[in-house]
Amino acid sequence: MSDSQSVKADAVVGADSRGFDGGKLINGRKRHVVVDTLGLLLGVMVTSADIGDRAAAKVLLERVTDAHHRLELVWADGGYTGSLVEHCVAALALVLAIVKRSDDMRGFVVLPKRWIVERLFAHLMRSRRLVRDFECRTSSAEAMVYWSMTMVMTRRLARSRPTRA
């Protein structure tokens, strides 16, 4: 599952790595993520908020497929349509399936597979350091996301499980 999240940038973030996301009206940075079906982070890339989702996803999906060779299918929302779908098939041997919302739906509706990446963003927002982008460099911001996900994964591992008879 692939998606992005715009976050406000603190005053220490330089103008060279911040931008304005016109869709969400946020001046800051965007976190582009790819997660597996369990919601565990496979890759993250932090860019200025004015970078489009398709352009960033092209680079991020190349990084993720290099690291995870068995990856064959990625679900994404409607913002990733267009030439990115063809690029993924041709260059990465990866199927990019778009999960779309039906036009006749009203109000809030849970879409299949979309909740997985939204849950990741909720976990990230539980870390005070990630509510706003305080990092001077994008690489430091990416490291903070990995650090936060390490805490989520260790919490999952430490959960008590019922014993088998």
Side-chain angles (χ1 to χ4, degrees), residues 61-90:
L61 288 173
E62 287 175 6
R63 287 185 195 170
V64 170
T65 53
D66 285 344
H68 305 277
H69 302 292
R70 295 181 56 189
L71 189 64
E72 296 176 2
L73 172 68
V74 174
W75 289 294
D77 67 0
Y80 295 92
T81 57
S83 63
L84 182 61
V85 176
E86 290 84 25
H87 171 76
C88 287
V89 171

PDB file of all heavy atoms in Angstrom, residues 61-90:
ATOM      1  N   LEU A  61       9.075   3.789  -5.176  1.00  0.00           N
ATOM      2  CA  LEU A  61       8.797   2.408  -5.571  1.00  0.00           C
ATOM      3  C   LEU A  61      10.029   1.737  -6.166  1.00  0.00           C
ATOM      4  O   LEU A  61      10.228   0.533  -5.984  1.00  0.00           O
ATOM      5  CB  LEU A  61       7.616   2.350  -6.537  1.00  0.00           C
ATOM      6  CG  LEU A  61       6.248   2.616  -5.904  1.00  0.00           C
ATOM      7  CD1 LEU A  61       5.171   2.717  -6.965  1.00  0.00           C
ATOM      8  CD2 LEU A  61       5.900   1.544  -4.878  1.00  0.00           C
ATOM      9  N   GLU A  62      10.874   2.507  -6.846  1.00  0.00           N
ATOM     10  CA  GLU A  62      12.136   1.937  -7.346  1.00  0.00           C
ATOM     11  C   GLU A  62      13.030   1.513  -6.183  1.00  0.00           C
ATOM     12  O   GLU A  62      13.629   0.435  -6.197  1.00  0.00           O
ATOM     13  CB  GLU A  62      12.851   2.938  -8.245  1.00  0.00           C
ATOM     14  CG  GLU A  62      12.200   3.110  -9.601  1.00  0.00           C
ATOM     15  CD  GLU A  62      12.845   4.202 -10.444  1.00  0.00           C
ATOM     16  OE1 GLU A  62      13.883   4.764 -10.018  1.00  0.00           O
ATOM     17  OE2 GLU A  62      12.307   4.487 -11.520  1.00  0.00           O
ATOM     18  N   ARG A  63      13.110   2.366  -5.148  1.00  0.00           N
ATOM     19  CA  ARG A  63      13.913   2.022  -3.964  1.00  0.00           C
ATOM     20  C   ARG A  63      13.372   0.774  -3.269  1.00  0.00           C
ATOM     21  O   ARG A  63      14.130  -0.110  -2.874  1.00  0.00           O
ATOM     22  CB  ARG A  63      13.887   3.167  -2.956  1.00  0.00           C
ATOM     23  CG  ARG A  63      14.683   4.363  -3.318  1.00  0.00           C
ATOM     24  CD  ARG A  63      14.638   5.336  -2.166  1.00  0.00           C
ATOM     25  NE  ARG A  63      15.096   6.652  -2.552  1.00  0.00           N
ATOM     26  CZ  ARG A  63      14.982   7.727  -1.785  1.00  0.00           C
ATOM     27  NH1 ARG A  63      14.430   7.630  -0.592  1.00  0.00           N
ATOM     28  NH2 ARG A  63      15.417   8.887  -2.200  1.00  0.00           N
ATOM     29  N   VAL A  64      12.053   0.729  -3.120  1.00  0.00           N
ATOM     30  CA  VAL A  64      11.434  -0.385  -2.392  1.00  0.00           C
ATOM     31  C   VAL A  64      11.573  -1.690  -3.164  1.00  0.00           C
ATOM     32  O   VAL A  64      11.864  -2.732  -2.576  1.00  0.00           O
ATOM     33  CB  VAL A  64       9.956  -0.059  -2.078  1.00  0.00           C
ATOM     34  CG1 VAL A  64       9.217  -1.269  -1.538  1.00  0.00           C
ATOM     35  CG2 VAL A  64       9.868   1.082  -1.076  1.00  0.00           C
ATOM     36  N   THR A  65      11.390  -1.650  -4.482  1.00  0.00           N
ATOM     37  CA  THR A  65      11.525  -2.890  -5.258  1.00  0.00           C
ATOM     38  C   THR A  65      12.976  -3.373  -5.305  1.00  0.00           C
ATOM     39  O   THR A  65      13.218  -4.569  -5.417  1.00  0.00           O
ATOM     40  CB  THR A  65      10.985  -2.727  -6.694  1.00  0.00           C
ATOM     41  OG1 THR A  65      11.597  -1.599  -7.309  1.00  0.00           O
ATOM     42  CG2 THR A  65       9.483  -2.580  -6.689  1.00  0.00           C
ATOM     43  N   ASP A  66      13.937  -2.456  -5.212  1.00  0.00           N
ATOM     44  CA  ASP A  66      15.339  -2.875  -5.123  1.00  0.00           C
ATOM     45  C   ASP A  66      15.616  -3.606  -3.811  1.00  0.00           C
ATOM     46  O   ASP A  66      16.370  -4.567  -3.773  1.00  0.00           O
ATOM     47  CB  ASP A  66      16.275  -1.669  -5.240  1.00  0.00           C
ATOM     48  CG  ASP A  66      16.389  -1.148  -6.659  1.00  0.00           C
ATOM     49  OD1 ASP A  66      15.995  -1.882  -7.596  1.00  0.00           O
ATOM     50  OD2 ASP A  66      16.867  -0.003  -6.831  1.00  0.00           O
ATOM     51  N   ALA A  67      14.993  -3.141  -2.740  1.00  0.00           N
ATOM     52  CA  ALA A  67      15.216  -3.741  -1.425  1.00  0.00           C
ATOM     53  C   ALA A  67      14.359  -4.982  -1.205  1.00  0.00           C
ATOM     54  O   ALA A  67      14.770  -5.900  -0.494  1.00  0.00           O
ATOM     55  CB  ALA A  67      14.925  -2.721  -0.328  1.00  0.00           C
ATOM     56  N   HIS A  68      13.179  -5.025  -1.786  1.00  0.00           N
ATOM     57  CA  HIS A  68      12.233  -6.133  -1.586  1.00  0.00           C
ATOM     58  C   HIS A  68      11.914  -6.743  -2.952  1.00  0.00           C
ATOM     59  O   HIS A  68      10.949  -6.364  -3.598  1.00  0.00           O
ATOM     60  CB  HIS A  68      10.960  -5.643  -0.899  1.00  0.00           C
ATOM     61  CG  HIS A  68      11.222  -4.946   0.391  1.00  0.00           C
ATOM     62  ND1 HIS A  68      11.411  -5.627   1.579  1.00  0.00           N
ATOM     63  CD2 HIS A  68      11.352  -3.634   0.693  1.00  0.00           C
ATOM     64  CE1 HIS A  68      11.641  -4.763   2.542  1.00  0.00           C
ATOM     65  NE2 HIS A  68      11.609  -3.550   2.038  1.00  0.00           N
ATOM     66  N   HIS A  69      12.708  -7.706  -3.357  1.00  0.00           N
ATOM     67  CA  HIS A  69      12.630  -8.273  -4.700  1.00  0.00           C
ATOM     68  C   HIS A  69      11.349  -9.048  -4.962  1.00  0.00           C
ATOM     69  O   HIS A  69      10.951  -9.195  -6.107  1.00  0.00           O
ATOM     70  CB  HIS A  69      13.833  -9.191  -4.965  1.00  0.00           C
ATOM     71  CG  HIS A  69      15.139  -8.485  -4.825  1.00  0.00           C
ATOM     72  ND1 HIS A  69      15.549  -7.514  -5.698  1.00  0.00           N
ATOM     73  CD2 HIS A  69      16.110  -8.590  -3.882  1.00  0.00           C
ATOM     74  CE1 HIS A  69      16.733  -7.054  -5.322  1.00  0.00           C
ATOM     75  NE2 HIS A  69      17.101  -7.686  -4.224  1.00  0.00           N
ATOM     76  N   ARG A  70      10.702  -9.549  -3.923  1.00  0.00           N
ATOM     77  CA  ARG A  70       9.503 -10.366  -4.113  1.00  0.00           C
ATOM     78  C   ARG A  70       8.236  -9.531  -4.211  1.00  0.00           C
ATOM     79  O   ARG A  70       7.158 -10.087  -4.390  1.00  0.00           O
ATOM     80  CB  ARG A  70       9.380 -11.363  -2.967  1.00  0.00           C
ATOM     81  CG  ARG A  70      10.532 -12.367  -2.988  1.00  0.00           C
ATOM     82  CD  ARG A  70      10.426 -13.371  -1.902  1.00  0.00           C
ATOM     83  NE  ARG A  70       9.138 -14.048  -1.980  1.00  0.00           N
ATOM     84  CZ  ARG A  70       8.687 -14.871  -1.041  1.00  0.00           C
ATOM     85  NH1 ARG A  70       9.405 -15.114   0.016  1.00  0.00           N
ATOM     86  NH2 ARG A  70       7.527 -15.453  -1.170  1.00  0.00           N
ATOM     87  N   LEU A  71       8.330  -8.250  -4.119  1.00  0.00           N
ATOM     88  CA  LEU A  71       7.163  -7.368  -4.195  1.00  0.00           C
ATOM     89  C   LEU A  71       6.575  -7.415  -5.602  1.00  0.00           C
ATOM     90  O   LEU A  71       7.279  -7.191  -6.580  1.00  0.00           O
ATOM     91  CB  LEU A  71       7.577  -5.933  -3.836  1.00  0.00           C
ATOM     92  CG  LEU A  71       6.470  -4.916  -3.656  1.00  0.00           C
ATOM     93  CD1 LEU A  71       5.587  -5.300  -2.468  1.00  0.00           C
ATOM     94  CD2 LEU A  71       7.058  -3.550  -3.429  1.00  0.00           C
ATOM     95  N   GLU A  72       5.288  -7.731  -5.689  1.00  0.00           N
ATOM     96  CA  GLU A  72       4.641  -7.860  -6.994  1.00  0.00           C
ATOM     97  C   GLU A  72       3.441  -6.948  -7.167  1.00  0.00           C
ATOM     98  O   GLU A  72       3.084  -6.604  -8.280  1.00  0.00           O
ATOM     99  CB  GLU A  72       4.167  -9.311  -7.203  1.00  0.00           C
ATOM    100  CG  GLU A  72       5.288 -10.316  -7.261  1.00  0.00           C
ATOM    101  CD  GLU A  72       4.766 -11.739  -7.361  1.00  0.00           C
ATOM    102  OE1 GLU A  72       3.535 -11.920  -7.427  1.00  0.00           O
ATOM    103  OE2 GLU A  72       5.592 -12.656  -7.378  1.00  0.00           O
ATOM    104  N   LEU A  73       2.775  -6.579  -6.062  1.00  0.00           N
ATOM    105  CA  LEU A  73       1.534  -5.823  -6.127  1.00  0.00           C
ATOM    106  C   LEU A  73       1.554  -4.709  -5.093  1.00  0.00           C
ATOM    107  O   LEU A  73       1.916  -4.940  -3.938  1.00  0.00           O
ATOM    108  CB  LEU A  73       0.344  -6.760  -5.858  1.00  0.00           C
ATOM    109  CG  LEU A  73      -1.031  -6.129  -5.688  1.00  0.00           C
ATOM    110  CD1 LEU A  73      -1.502  -5.521  -7.005  1.00  0.00           C
ATOM    111  CD2 LEU A  73      -2.031  -7.156  -5.193  1.00  0.00           C
ATOM    112  N   VAL A  74       1.162  -3.513  -5.511  1.00  0.00           N
ATOM    113  CA  VAL A  74       1.053  -2.372  -4.603  1.00  0.00           C
ATOM    114  C   VAL A  74      -0.317  -1.747  -4.820  1.00  0.00           C
ATOM    115  O   VAL A  74      -0.704  -1.478  -5.955  1.00  0.00           O
ATOM    116  CB  VAL A  74       2.158  -1.321  -4.864  1.00  0.00           C
ATOM    117  CG1 VAL A  74       1.939  -0.085  -4.018  1.00  0.00           C
ATOM    118  CG2 VAL A  74       3.520  -1.904  -4.591  1.00  0.00           C
ATOM    119  N   TRP A  75      -1.047  -1.536  -3.715  1.00  0.00           N
ATOM    120  CA  TRP A  75      -2.315  -0.828  -3.791  1.00  0.00           C
ATOM    121  C   TRP A  75      -2.058   0.639  -3.516  1.00  0.00           C
ATOM    122  O   TRP A  75      -1.226   0.982  -2.670  1.00  0.00           O
ATOM    123  CB  TRP A  75      -3.300  -1.360  -2.755  1.00  0.00           C
ATOM    124  CG  TRP A  75      -3.819  -2.720  -3.040  1.00  0.00           C
ATOM    125  CD1 TRP A  75      -4.615  -3.093  -4.071  1.00  0.00           C
ATOM    126  CD2 TRP A  75      -3.576  -3.898  -2.282  1.00  0.00           C
ATOM    127  NE1 TRP A  75      -4.887  -4.431  -4.001  1.00  0.00           N
ATOM    128  CE2 TRP A  75      -4.265  -4.951  -2.908  1.00  0.00           C
ATOM    129  CE3 TRP A  75      -2.848  -4.174  -1.125  1.00  0.00           C
ATOM    130  CZ2 TRP A  75      -4.251  -6.239  -2.424  1.00  0.00           C
ATOM    131  CZ3 TRP A  75      -2.836  -5.460  -0.645  1.00  0.00           C
ATOM    132  CH2 TRP A  75      -3.522  -6.481  -1.282  1.00  0.00           C
ATOM    133  N   ALA A  76      -2.772   1.517  -4.212  1.00  0.00           N
ATOM    134  CA  ALA A  76      -2.615   2.958  -4.023  1.00  0.00           C
ATOM    135  C   ALA A  76      -3.961   3.641  -4.236  1.00  0.00           C
ATOM    136  O   ALA A  76      -4.883   3.057  -4.802  1.00  0.00           O
ATOM    137  CB  ALA A  76      -1.581   3.513  -4.995  1.00  0.00           C
ATOM    138  N   ASP A  77      -4.066   4.892  -3.792  1.00  0.00           N
ATOM    139  CA  ASP A  77      -5.324   5.613  -3.980  1.00  0.00           C
ATOM    140  C   ASP A  77      -5.370   6.274  -5.358  1.00  0.00           C
ATOM    141  O   ASP A  77      -4.444   6.147  -6.157  1.00  0.00           O
ATOM    142  CB  ASP A  77      -5.554   6.614  -2.849  1.00  0.00           C
ATOM    143  CG  ASP A  77      -4.568   7.763  -2.836  1.00  0.00           C
ATOM    144  OD1 ASP A  77      -3.684   7.804  -3.706  1.00  0.00           O
ATOM    145  OD2 ASP A  77      -4.682   8.626  -1.955  1.00  0.00           O
ATOM    146  N   GLY A  78      -6.431   6.998  -5.626  1.00  0.00           N
ATOM    147  CA  GLY A  78      -6.659   7.588  -6.939  1.00  0.00           C
ATOM    148  C   GLY A  78      -5.635   8.614  -7.364  1.00  0.00           C
ATOM    149  O   GLY A  78      -5.530   8.934  -8.551  1.00  0.00           O
ATOM    150  N   GLY A  79      -4.845   9.133  -6.451  1.00  0.00           N
ATOM    151  CA  GLY A  79      -3.821  10.118  -6.789  1.00  0.00           C
ATOM    152  C   GLY A  79      -2.638   9.543  -7.554  1.00  0.00           C
ATOM    153  O   GLY A  79      -1.783  10.283  -8.031  1.00  0.00           O
ATOM    154  N   TYR A  80      -2.573   8.231  -7.678  1.00  0.00           N
ATOM    155  CA  TYR A  80      -1.439   7.579  -8.323  1.00  0.00           C
ATOM    156  C   TYR A  80      -1.783   7.020  -9.711  1.00  0.00           C
ATOM    157  O   TYR A  80      -1.045   6.221 -10.248  1.00  0.00           O
ATOM    158  CB  TYR A  80      -0.907   6.458  -7.430  1.00  0.00           C
ATOM    159  CG  TYR A  80      -0.340   6.982  -6.137  1.00  0.00           C
ATOM    160  CD1 TYR A  80      -1.127   7.101  -5.009  1.00  0.00           C
ATOM    161  CD2 TYR A  80       0.982   7.389  -6.065  1.00  0.00           C
ATOM    162  CE1 TYR A  80      -0.612   7.596  -3.822  1.00  0.00           C
ATOM    163  CE2 TYR A  80       1.506   7.879  -4.891  1.00  0.00           C
ATOM    164  CZ  TYR A  80       0.704   7.982  -3.771  1.00  0.00           C
ATOM    165  OH  TYR A  80       1.210   8.480  -2.614  1.00  0.00           O
ATOM    166  N   THR A  81      -2.895   7.444 -10.280  1.00  0.00           N
ATOM    167  CA  THR A  81      -3.294   6.966 -11.600  1.00  0.00           C
ATOM    168  C   THR A  81      -2.415   7.586 -12.684  1.00  0.00           C
ATOM    169  O   THR A  81      -1.556   8.412 -12.412  1.00  0.00           O
ATOM    170  CB  THR A  81      -4.766   7.312 -11.879  1.00  0.00           C
ATOM    171  OG1 THR A  81      -4.918   8.731 -11.759  1.00  0.00           O
ATOM    172  CG2 THR A  81      -5.691   6.610 -10.935  1.00  0.00           C
ATOM    173  N   GLY A  82      -2.655   7.192 -13.911  1.00  0.00           N
ATOM    174  CA  GLY A  82      -1.934   7.780 -15.041  1.00  0.00           C
ATOM    175  C   GLY A  82      -0.723   6.970 -15.447  1.00  0.00           C
ATOM    176  O   GLY A  82      -0.707   5.745 -15.377  1.00  0.00           O
ATOM    177  N   SER A  83       0.315   7.687 -15.858  1.00  0.00           N
ATOM    178  CA  SER A  83       1.501   7.027 -16.419  1.00  0.00           C
ATOM    179  C   SER A  83       2.281   6.217 -15.388  1.00  0.00           C
ATOM    180  O   SER A  83       3.078   5.354 -15.761  1.00  0.00           O
ATOM    181  CB  SER A  83       2.425   8.071 -17.050  1.00  0.00           C
ATOM    182  OG  SER A  83       2.889   8.968 -16.062  1.00  0.00           O
ATOM    183  N   LEU A  84       2.073   6.467 -14.109  1.00  0.00           N
ATOM    184  CA  LEU A  84       2.785   5.715 -13.072  1.00  0.00           C
ATOM    185  C   LEU A  84       2.417   4.223 -13.126  1.00  0.00           C
ATOM    186  O   LEU A  84       3.275   3.369 -12.905  1.00  0.00           O
ATOM    187  CB  LEU A  84       2.478   6.278 -11.677  1.00  0.00           C
ATOM    188  CG  LEU A  84       3.188   5.606 -10.512  1.00  0.00           C
ATOM    189  CD1 LEU A  84       4.702   5.738 -10.643  1.00  0.00           C
ATOM    190  CD2 LEU A  84       2.716   6.179  -9.195  1.00  0.00           C
ATOM    191  N   VAL A  85       1.175   3.926 -13.442  1.00  0.00           N
ATOM    192  CA  VAL A  85       0.735   2.528 -13.523  1.00  0.00           C
ATOM    193  C   VAL A  85       1.516   1.798 -14.612  1.00  0.00           C
ATOM    194  O   VAL A  85       2.029   0.691 -14.389  1.00  0.00           O
ATOM    195  CB  VAL A  85      -0.790   2.462 -13.776  1.00  0.00           C
ATOM    196  CG1 VAL A  85      -1.236   1.019 -13.949  1.00  0.00           C
ATOM    197  CG2 VAL A  85      -1.554   3.128 -12.641  1.00  0.00           C
ATOM    198  N   GLU A  86       1.630   2.422 -15.783  1.00  0.00           N
ATOM    199  CA  GLU A  86       2.381   1.807 -16.883  1.00  0.00           C
ATOM    200  C   GLU A  86       3.871   1.722 -16.567  1.00  0.00           C
ATOM    201  O   GLU A  86       4.533   0.750 -16.913  1.00  0.00           O
ATOM    202  CB  GLU A  86       2.170   2.580 -18.191  1.00  0.00           C
ATOM    203  CG  GLU A  86       0.777   2.443 -18.777  1.00  0.00           C
ATOM    204  CD  GLU A  86      -0.210   3.421 -18.169  1.00  0.00           C
ATOM    205  OE1 GLU A  86       0.211   4.488 -17.670  1.00  0.00           O
ATOM    206  OE2 GLU A  86      -1.410   3.117 -18.167  1.00  0.00           O
ATOM    207  N   HIS A  87       4.407   2.754 -15.915  1.00  0.00           N
ATOM    208  CA  HIS A  87       5.828   2.753 -15.547  1.00  0.00           C
ATOM    209  C   HIS A  87       6.138   1.587 -14.603  1.00  0.00           C
ATOM    210  O   HIS A  87       7.171   0.923 -14.743  1.00  0.00           O
ATOM    211  CB  HIS A  87       6.214   4.080 -14.898  1.00  0.00           C
ATOM    212  CG  HIS A  87       7.583   4.067 -14.306  1.00  0.00           C
ATOM    213  ND1 HIS A  87       8.732   4.149 -15.063  1.00  0.00           N
ATOM    214  CD2 HIS A  87       8.000   3.951 -13.014  1.00  0.00           C
ATOM    215  CE1 HIS A  87       9.794   4.102 -14.275  1.00  0.00           C
ATOM    216  NE2 HIS A  87       9.375   3.971 -13.024  1.00  0.00           N
ATOM    217  N   CYS A  88       5.267   1.354 -13.634  1.00  0.00           N
ATOM    218  CA  CYS A  88       5.495   0.274 -12.675  1.00  0.00           C
ATOM    219  C   CYS A  88       5.522  -1.083 -13.359  1.00  0.00           C
ATOM    220  O   CYS A  88       6.363  -1.920 -13.041  1.00  0.00           O
ATOM    221  CB  CYS A  88       4.424   0.298 -11.586  1.00  0.00           C
ATOM    222  SG  CYS A  88       4.631   1.643 -10.419  1.00  0.00           S
ATOM    223  N   VAL A  89       4.622  -1.294 -14.309  1.00  0.00           N
ATOM    224  CA  VAL A  89       4.586  -2.579 -15.009  1.00  0.00           C
ATOM    225  C   VAL A  89       5.818  -2.741 -15.896  1.00  0.00           C
ATOM    226  O   VAL A  89       6.487  -3.773 -15.874  1.00  0.00           O
ATOM    227  CB  VAL A  89       3.292  -2.710 -15.848  1.00  0.00           C
ATOM    228  CG1 VAL A  89       3.344  -3.923 -16.750  1.00  0.00           C
ATOM    229  CG2 VAL A  89       2.084  -2.771 -14.930  1.00  0.00           C
ATOM    230  N   ALA A  90       6.143  -1.686 -16.662  1.00  0.00           N
ATOM    231  CA  ALA A  90       7.241  -1.785 -17.632  1.00  0.00           C
ATOM    232  C   ALA A  90       8.619  -1.794 -16.975  1.00  0.00           C
ATOM    233  O   ALA A  90       9.463  -2.630 -17.303  1.00  0.00           O
ATOM    234  CB  ALA A  90       7.148  -0.624 -18.627  1.00  0.00           C
TER     235      ALA A  90
END
